[in-house]
Amino acid sequence: MGEVKDPEGRERVGITTALHESEERDLIRMTREAAKDRSGALTDKQIDQAVKAHPELSFETRTGRPNAR
């Protein structure tokens, strides 16, 4: 149990269970394992081709800029 603040800044009490912590550790472990396998990752060429095929995509917006190459 611990004190946390909600998005409006109000103090709240956070409660978790041992099961929740265990599941979260399992999720982190599985995510790290999955990240090691890049066999299904797109190549730079495939990404470039997809971007060219969709000229309606904009990389000039606040959310688009971080994805620009």
Side-chain angles (χ1 to χ4, degrees), residues 2-3 14 17-18 23 25-26 28 37 42 49 51 53-54 59 63:
E3 292 184 22
T17 64
E23 289 175 340
R25 278 193 297 276
D26 287 344
I28 292 168
D37 180 4
L42 296 173
Q49 288 173 336
V51 169
H54 295 278
F59 295 100
T63 55

Side-chain angles (χ1 to χ4, degrees), residues 4-62:
V4 295
K5 292 190 178 189
D6 69 10
E8 286 80 35
R10 298 176 295 215
E11 290 194 16
R12 300 287 186 220
V13 175
I15 300 173
T16 189
T17 64
L19 176 61
H20 179 252
E21 289 179 11
S22 174
E23 289 175 340
E24 193 168 321
R25 278 193 297 276
D26 287 344
L27 176 62
I28 292 168
R29 179 185 51 76
M30 289 186 285
T31 302
R32 286 180 176 154
E33 283 297 314
K36 292 177 187 177
D37 180 4
R38 304 293 295 164
S39 63
L42 296 173
T43 65
D44 287 345
K45 183 178 178 180
Q46 289 171 310
I47 293 169
D48 289 340
Q49 288 173 336
V51 169
K52 288 177 185 168
H54 295 278
E56 73 276 9
L57 294 176
S58 171
F59 295 100
E60 303 302 319
T61 64
R62 181 176 58 86

